[in-house]
Amino acid sequence: MTTAVAAPFRFFALQVARTRRLGPSLVRVTFNGPELRDFRSDGRDQSLSLFLPHPGQNEPAVPLELGWGSPRSSEAESGGGWWQGWRELPDDVRAVMRSYTLRELRADAGGHTTEIDIDFVLHGVTGEGEVSAGAGPASRWAARAAAGDRVLLLGPALPDNRAIRFRPPGDTDLVLLWADETALPAAAAVLETLPAGTRARVWLEVPRSGDIQDLTTGADAEITWFVRDEATDAGADAAPDAGAGPMALDSLRAAELPCTERPYVWIAGEAGCVKQLRRHFVGERGIDRRRVTFVGYWRRGLTEEQLREQG
Ligand SMILES: Cc1cc2nc3c(=O)[nH]c(=O)nc-3n(C[C@H](O)[C@H](O)[C@H](O)COP(=O)(O)OP(=O)(O)OC[C@H]3O[C@@H](n4cnc5c(N)ncnc54)[C@H](O)[C@@H]3O)c2cc1C
């Protein structure tokens, strides 16, 4: 006897419905498509793998026919047929794979997802939309995204899945969050899901003051924003690379945190900053490392491929 087990992840063929500039450094891209009806997620810091076309391609090249029947489902990056076939495609053909976060989903009355939002950092893109040589392919794609553009998404078909990392232990009495602009979508989604009254201290770093957002939460949250680069007029391009460490570190060291025995810490963003902050929380503050979730979302000077190769 075989037992059918629903696969936690599958591919979704999507198209851009619309875009909205959120500030100098971020654009919100809304996706739709009939396959989305089976997309399920509990949100929080739900991460997704996005496959993007190269300029001049109509759709991303991923050989789904190699390992995906119907429904097209598999464990993400399990070494299945599509994965091997995708890796073997020429560099200028193979779809660009990048990690992003589900910012929000909307569903119909039957609970079927109809639209999802992803917020993209436009690094290497000026306020006027000019793309510099330093911009990565995903940032470049997002800067030019328009209704009808096609992408593939490897995302969740089960609401609670292992691509959600924000998991405070049940006894948590204080939530501490740090995020840079790449993890702002995740932090914003996490804040929306915190139970009313949860005590939270939040440190958020963005390139420009125009990137500061109104965040919605029922938590008892104290939110501190840091603006990294208001001094130069280089736009969102130069801003994220200016300065090596997290701006919040000095302020964190000076901060008196509420007297609590069971904090939970979530840190995400540039990998070097994440490392320094983890050291602060675990080494300097003595918080149990099992209560600290930390994720490097990008590393200064490395593309996502290079970051993956480093493991
Ligand atoms: C789990 C997870 C969730 C993520 N969620 C989001 C999200 O919701 N929104 C989002 O915008 N990003 C998110 N990221 C980060 C995003 O995947 C990276 O920024 C990615 O490198 C962007 O791809 P790219 O093609 O634009 O640049 P790449 O080709 O990967 O990199 C090209 C160059 O740009 C640099 N670079 C990459 N990102 C930045 C940046 N933000 N600022 C300055 N320089 C940069 C690299 O170091 C490299 O030198 C997430 C990452 C992870 C792992």
Side-chain angles (χ1 to χ4, degrees):
M1 190 182 89
T2 55
T3 310
V5 178
F9 300 98
R10 52 158 284 179
F11 275 106
F12 300 88
L14 305 180
Q15 60 184 19
V16 174
R18 59 190 173 276
T19 67
R20 180 161 74 88
R21 196 73 181 243
L22 300 177
S25 316
L26 281 153
V27 64
R28 174 160 301 164
V29 181
T30 299
F31 297 91
N32 62 14
E35 294 188 3
L36 257 190
R37 61 180 279 114
D38 296 322
F39 182 99
R40 300 274 183 284
S41 174
D42 280 346
R44 291 175 273 159
D45 58 345
Q46 174 74 64
S47 64
L48 313 163
S49 291
L50 205 51
F51 293 81
L52 303 169
H54 292 274
Q57 290 178 326
N58 288 331
E59 57 181 352
V62 182
L64 295 185
E65 70 282 0
L66 291 182
W68 303 77
S70 180
R72 295 179 298 186
S73 58
S74 161
E75 284 288 312
E77 300 164 29
S78 63
W82 72 267
W83 172 251
Q84 193 57 34
W86 171 76
R87 284 167 60 103
E88 287 169 2
L89 288 172
D91 289 352
D92 56 345
V93 174
R94 182 176 56 242
V96 176
M97 176 178 151
R98 290 290 182 269
S99 301
Y100 280 88
T101 305
L102 171 69
R103 174 62 187 87
E104 194 172 337
L105 70 74
R106 285 171 289 284
D108 61 19
H112 296 117
T113 305
T114 54
E115 286 188 339
I116 64 167
D117 294 334
I118 297 179
D119 293 353
F120 291 77
V121 173
L122 298 173
H123 67 93
V125 178
T126 66
E128 290 72 43
E130 276 169 36
V131 176
S132 79
S139 173
R140 216 175 265 263
W141 177 89
R144 294 176 176 150
D149 287 356
R150 294 160 72 178
V151 304
L152 267 176
L153 182 82
L154 187 52
L158 293 178
D160 192 7
N161 57 75
R162 64 183 161 75
I164 297 175
R165 297 176 176 88
F166 180 87
R167 294 185 183 274
D171 63 357
T172 298
D173 56 7
L174 175 67
V175 172
L176 303 172
L177 304 178
W178 179 87
D180 70 9
E181 61 274 25
T182 62
L184 174 57
V190 160
L191 279 167
E192 281 171 10
T193 59
L194 286 180
T198 306
R199 280 194 304 171
R201 293 286 297 271
V202 185
W203 294 268
L204 300 171
E205 297 193 16
V206 289
R208 311 294 289 252
S209 55
D211 297 318
I212 293 174
Q213 303 178 6
D214 284 332
L215 301 177
T216 307
T217 184
D220 176 10
E222 191 183 315
I223 301 174
T224 308
W225 289 90
F226 294 89
V227 177
R228 196 177 306 118
D229 183 30
E230 213 55 316
T232 80
D233 197 27
D237 185 2
D241 292 316
M247 289 181 76
L249 196 54
D250 286 345
S251 140
L252 263 163
R253 286 197 171 118
E256 282 211 17
L257 297 180
C259 219
T260 160
E261 287 175 3
R262 297 178 300 275
Y264 171 71
V265 182
W266 179 93
I267 316 162
E270 199 281 324
C273 294
V274 166
K275 198 171 162 192
Q276 291 184 46
L277 288 161
R278 179 174 183 265
R279 202 177 294 142
H280 167 72
F281 284 113
V282 176
E284 296 173 22
R285 284 202 185 261
I287 295 177
D288 182 342
R289 65 184 66 237
R290 290 167 301 185
R291 306 184 74 98
V292 179
T293 299
F294 61 102
V295 194
Y297 274 19
W298 62 286
R299 185 183 287 277
R300 195 168 281 111
L302 294 183
T303 66
E304 195 173 320
E305 286 89 1
Q306 292 168 329
L307 200 55
R308 267 199 301 273
E309 278 162 23
Q310 286 198 345

